[in-house]
Amino acid sequence: MSEVAAAEMPVDRSIDTSKMQISDELAIQITGMNKWYGSFHVLRDINMTVYRGERIVICGPSGSGKSTLIRCINRLEEHQAGQIIVDGTELTGDLKNIDKVRSEVGMVFQHFNLFPHLTILENCTLAPIWVRKVPKREAEETAMHFLEKVKIPEQAHKYPGQLSGGQQQRVAIARSLCMKPRIMLFDEPTSALDPEMIKEVLDTMISLAEEGMTMLCVTHEMGFAQAVANRVIFMDQGQIVEQNEPKEFFNNPQSDRTKLFLSQILGH
Amino acid sequence: MSDTHSNTVSYVRDTMLDQQEPPVTERGVIKWLRENLFSGWLNSVLTIASLGVIWFIIIEIGPWLLNTVWNAESLRECRAILDGTSGACFAVIKDRWHQLLFGFYPPEHYWRPVLAMVLMLVALAPILFSEVPRKMLYFSVLFPFIGYHLLWGGSVWLPISVLLGFVVGYVAFRATAKLSSLVSVIAAVAGTFLWWVFLAGPFDAAMYSVAPIGLEYVRSDAFGGFLISIVIGVSGISLSLPFGILLALGRQSDMIFLKSVCVIFIEFIRGVPLITLLFTASLLLNYFLPPGTSFDLILRVIIMVTLFASAYMAEVIRGGLAALPKGQYEAADALGLDYWKAQRLIVMPQALKIAIPGIVNTFIGLFKDTTLVVFIGLLDPIGLSNAIRADTDWNGIYWELFIFIGALFFIFCFGMSRYSMYLERKLKTDHR
């Protein structure tokens, strides 16, 4: 046993794992992927396979390329070598493929990125109406359903600027869910939040995991990783250094880099 | 809790105090005077100095304005009535107001510009105020053609034919929509222009020979006064905004040639005085056009004013675009919105909102710049004031004409300024 302290549970309830099943159907496949910012080699030979229903937490020190990695999955960042296949569609320069992947993959950002000129409800219905061509009435019903799920239906007619950070992030999650995505990407969703609000956002993410959503989550919330992740990936200097199931990862880290990181993030 | 304070002396209030008036220096007129006029010795001096200036202006101008002559046929008659006392002679406005408003537009047709003006207000209503039913936007789209026919007259088929060009473009767009969005945009533009260049004229002629309907033709040189200012100003304003948006987007584009074209256009236009462009429009353009083509002078001026204003508009909008956080683009991308949808639904509403003060600033500047057309022989209000003075009846009158013209311009520009403030307040969605 390692001496690393156990992370705190993010919610006070027991987690229902009955629907957290991993199928052998491929969701994302990344092979030999490399990316450069100018001459800086940010991602180096990334190989990664994600099956449907997996809940993966990606962690690592800042600048290790973890955000860049998940931003490559919906091509907010372009990769220069290797292959990324999302839901059977390969990401290349083809705009049609990119739009197809983006409408299937939801993304939640560190700074929420809600549209400040639209109400909460309009934020949630915009993409379904304009991308999926869903009738307005139906889109609003779906939006209200997901706003109830993230527990803020009463804010539907307010503007993002009137909500707290935690509420905004839950709206951002609802906005992504309204597109009925098959994969959700979270890019440090709780890093810009106060501790109290972190809890409400993690709670939302956990209930999403309980429904069997395929999730990739860049986060430093190790409690969340232990509670719901089936795999933890540790990155450093643009490479995947170690990946394992959470129990093994936290209790028995293999590489020295991982041990150092864990002792810094969990140690006292 | 109570035991932690056990060492404090116990106290119970037995009579409650009634609310009392604040001291006399802290309420009513005295408070207001102290806070707003005499809050320090420097401010007191400034207050007294300002009062002095206001008093001086009233003393100097007041009697002149109050002692106004409204009924006179000429300046001579005015002076006879005033009999040596100081007084304004606004009789010139009463005598010549129709010229200041319409120029030499035939008086029996005055109803046409008036009706066009009323319809313009109707067409503007749904654009300016979201409370007005959205269906009225159809009228706003049609208004330029209706307005053109009302003002210039001639064959009614000409504006219809031009309008049909857009229909042709739309049909071409739909027909090629399945291929790719770029192809269909090119097809739409090409279809529209081909119609305008080759078929619009013959169509107009053919239809007019079959059904000669239309108002009596009024030549452009009969236009003048505020009619010309408003025609040029409103057309320039409504055309420069869309062109400015396209130029701003082009300048931000990754496509190097498109970007260069936009940058060169913007920098060239901004580097050249408007008056040069207007001279180009009035004199040089004719040399470049095929012989025999007559291209209406007002139309040429509208084009030049639009180009000029859209270059400025592009830079103002670019400022709005630059103020938008990168996250907004990323969120739009991540939701699967394509470039144009992201621009229309996410980027532009926010960028334009940020740019409202600058946009309206450009509009006001454009509207006032329409007075420059006096230098190429169009009789805008300033030009007409010269023409009125050229008449022996009114030779020597300045102030009254310029006050009238200035007041009308002020009303338009002040209106735009107030509208922009209303819009800013209405679109404010943060920290409420």
Side-chain angles (χ1 to χ4, degrees):
Chain A
M1 269 303 242
S2 144
E3 68 283 12
V4 174
E8 203 183 327
M9 271 290 285
V11 284
D12 309 327
R13 58 187 172 88
S14 62
I15 292 167
D16 172 19
T17 53
S18 61
K19 284 193 202 151
M20 291 191 195
Q21 280 155 2
I22 299 164
S23 75
D24 48 7
E25 188 190 342
L26 273 177
I28 302 167
Q29 191 172 28
I30 301 175
T31 37
M33 192 261 275
N34 281 279
K35 172 168 178 59
W36 289 262
Y37 281 132
S39 60
F40 178 59
H41 200 171
V42 259
L43 291 177
R44 306 175 194 179
D45 190 34
I46 304 287
N47 290 288
M48 183 175 159
T49 309
V50 180
Y51 293 95
R52 199 159 295 294
E54 276 205 280
R55 301 154 311 276
I56 296 174
V57 162
I58 303 170
C59 60
S62 66
S64 59
K66 49 198 192 311
S67 285
T68 312
L69 171 61
I70 71 163
R71 287 159 62 87
C72 282
I73 293 172
N74 63 356
R75 208 164 166 102
L76 286 182
E77 304 282 355
E78 204 175 306
H79 60 282
Q80 279 91 32
Q83 202 180 32
I84 303 179
I85 300 174
V86 181
D87 239 350
T89 312
E90 187 183 350
L91 282 172
T92 55
D94 187 345
L95 288 176
K96 277 207 175 114
N97 280 355
I98 294 175
D99 282 340
K100 187 169 166 235
V101 166
R102 282 174 178 169
S103 62
E104 298 294 334
V105 177
M107 179 134 190
V108 176
F109 299 88
Q110 180 178 0
H111 295 289
F112 334 132
N113 296 352
L114 293 177
F115 305 129
H117 63 300
L118 301 176
T119 63
I120 300 305
L121 189 64
E122 287 164 343
N123 263 279
C124 294
T125 55
L126 183 105
I129 290 174
W130 291 95
V131 180
R132 289 243 193 277
K133 314 277 178 217
V134 175
K136 191 174 175 216
R137 171 69 59 80
E138 199 184 317
E140 280 176 355
E141 277 167 18
T142 317
M144 285 315 289
H145 166 78
F146 284 112
L147 285 175
E148 264 158 43
K149 200 151 246 180
V150 301
K151 305 196 185 87
I152 30 177
E154 71 280 0
Q155 315 281 10
H157 296 287
K158 288 192 183 166
Y159 286 93
Q162 296 165 281
L163 268 56
S164 75
Q167 288 172 325
Q168 290 195 40
Q169 192 60 297
R170 284 184 282 152
V171 172
I173 295 173
R175 177 175 73 177
S176 294
L177 292 178
C178 285
M179 287 293 279
K180 310 262 173 74
R182 307 187 68 187
I183 301 165
M184 284 287 285
L185 308 174
F186 293 85
D187 186 4
E188 306 208 25
T190 56
S191 302
L193 296 175
D194 294 343
E196 228 171 298
M197 297 170 179
I198 290 180
K199 212 160 185 177
E200 62 187 53
V201 170
L202 288 182
D203 196 9
T204 310
M205 288 166 65
I206 289 170
S207 28
L208 201 55
E210 286 174 324
E211 283 164 29
M213 176 66 80
T214 310
M215 293 164 72
L216 266 83
C217 189
V218 172
T219 183
H220 293 123
E221 293 299 324
M222 292 303 135
F224 172 78
Q226 284 188 328
V228 295
N230 67 303
R231 184 146 53 115
V232 180
I233 293 178
F234 175 69
M235 287 184 71
D236 190 25
Q237 291 172 11
Q239 299 154 76
I240 295 179
V241 174
E242 189 165 342
Q243 56 173 314
N244 214 331
E245 56 182 63
K247 211 173 201 174
E248 278 294 296
F249 179 83
F250 288 111
N251 295 331
N252 195 13
Q254 299 298 311
S255 84
D256 292 340
R257 189 66 194 89
T258 317
K259 281 178 194 160
L260 179 67
F261 176 75
L262 285 177
S263 71
Q264 277 165 347
I265 204 166
L266 298 170
H268 303 287
Chain B
M1 273 294 187
S2 59
D3 50 4
T4 59
H5 296 292
S6 55
N7 54 349
T8 55
V9 179
S10 90
Y11 169 80
V12 179
R13 177 175 284 285
D14 41 16
T15 52
M16 302 306 281
L17 297 176
D18 286 329
Q19 181 162 307
Q20 292 189 341
E21 292 262 304
V24 70
T25 53
E26 287 304 314
R27 63 188 143 106
V29 185
I30 295 178
K31 175 178 155 79
W32 188 88
L33 283 176
R34 270 170 63 106
E35 279 185 359
N36 294 295
L37 299 179
F38 304 105
S39 60
W41 67 268
L42 179 62
N43 292 355
S44 305
V45 169
L46 287 175
T47 301
I48 291 164
S50 328
L51 285 175
V53 170
I54 294 169
W55 177 247
F56 178 76
I57 291 171
I58 292 174
I59 284 294
E60 287 296 310
I61 298 177
W64 182 78
L65 271 179
L66 288 175
N67 194 15
T68 287
V69 176
W70 282 103
N71 295 304
E73 292 293 315
S74 67
L75 189 58
R76 236 170 300 112
E77 204 182 324
C78 247
R79 286 186 177 142
I81 295 170
L82 286 170
D83 196 22
T85 58
S86 157
C89 183
F90 280 104
V92 66
I93 307 300
K94 200 176 170 191
D95 191 39
R96 298 298 183 96
W97 64 272
H98 50 92
Q99 266 188 1
L100 285 169
L101 294 186
F102 302 112
F104 298 103
Y105 207 86
E108 69 272 22
H109 291 305
Y110 277 172
W111 63 271
R112 280 159 56 176
V114 171
L115 181 61
M117 177 83 183
V118 171
L119 291 182
M120 182 187 84
L121 294 177
V122 174
L124 281 177
I127 298 170
L128 297 183
F129 302 103
S130 58
E131 291 83 5
V132 178
R134 298 291 84 196
K135 287 235 165 70
M136 275 175 65
L137 282 171
Y138 290 111
F139 178 74
S140 309
V141 171
L142 289 179
F143 173 74
F145 304 96
I146 300 170
Y148 170 82
H149 185 65
L150 274 175
L151 291 177
W152 275 273
S155 160
V156 76
W157 299 107
L158 182 65
I160 293 178
S161 171
V162 172
L163 189 58
L164 277 177
F166 290 109
V167 177
V168 169
Y170 180 72
V171 171
F173 181 81
R174 289 314 294 257
T176 53
K178 284 207 183 77
L179 298 174
S180 95
S181 55
L182 185 66
V183 171
S184 49
V185 167
I186 292 171
V189 173
T192 307
F193 275 97
L194 286 177
W195 171 271
W196 282 348
V197 173
F198 295 108
L199 293 170
F203 174 82
D204 172 39
M207 290 306 287
Y208 196 69
S209 64
V210 176
I213 318 167
L215 294 166
E216 195 180 313
Y217 180 62
V218 179
R219 286 168 55 89
S220 276
D221 39 21
F223 282 54
F226 274 94
L227 175 59
I228 227 171
S229 299
I230 293 174
V231 166
I232 296 174
V234 171
S235 322
I237 283 173
S238 45
L239 291 171
S240 65
L241 186 61
F243 279 118
I245 291 175
L246 290 179
L247 280 171
L249 291 179
R251 192 169 185 164
Q252 296 242 311
S253 160
D254 296 331
M255 288 186 275
I256 188 81
F257 284 112
L258 183 65
K259 184 179 170 151
S260 318
V261 168
C262 290
V263 171
I264 290 169
F265 177 85
I266 291 170
E267 297 302 341
F268 171 74
I269 295 278
R270 286 205 308 169
V272 173
L274 176 58
I275 196 79
T276 327
L277 293 177
L278 291 177
F279 275 122
T280 312
S282 77
L283 302 170
L284 294 176
L285 223 54
N286 272 356
Y287 293 118
F288 296 114
L289 291 172
T293 22
S294 75
F295 203 54
D296 192 275
L297 181 59
I298 292 184
L299 200 60
R300 280 183 271 162
V301 168
I302 289 177
I303 292 173
M304 283 305 182
V305 167
T306 303
L307 293 182
F308 189 75
S310 40
Y312 280 87
M313 194 62 68
E315 287 300 282
V316 169
I317 292 168
R318 193 166 69 95
L321 288 172
L324 212 59
K326 195 163 157 255
Q328 293 291 310
Y329 294 89
E330 288 180 352
D333 283 347
L335 285 170
L337 293 166
D338 62 30
Y339 177 81
W340 289 109
K341 279 180 191 150
Q343 290 297 339
R344 184 154 65 96
L345 301 166
I346 309 299
V347 177
M348 274 307 148
Q350 295 185 62
L352 291 180
K353 187 182 114 184
I354 298 169
I356 285 174
I359 292 175
V360 174
N361 204 13
T362 312
F363 282 170
I364 290 177
L366 184 157
F367 188 62
K368 290 190 298 180
D369 280 352
T370 58
T371 51
L372 286 177
V373 298
V374 68
F375 291 112
I376 55 167
L378 285 175
L379 289 173
D380 83 311
I382 307 288
L384 273 164
S385 80
N386 294 335
I388 291 171
R389 259 197 313 280
D391 189 330
T392 46
D393 280 350
W394 296 109
N395 194 352
I397 196 154
Y398 288 94
W399 283 102
E400 292 81 351
L401 286 171
F402 287 136
I403 287 176
F404 177 73
I405 294 166
L408 272 187
F409 268 108
F410 178 79
I411 290 170
F412 282 112
C413 296
F414 189 64
M416 284 193 251
S417 151
R418 297 311 294 193
Y419 174 75
S420 92
M421 286 165 80
Y422 154 82
L423 201 60
E424 275 178 75
R425 233 178 306 120
K426 194 177 103 166
L427 296 180
K428 194 169 182 234
T429 56
D430 44 351
H431 8 265
R432 271 202 285 199

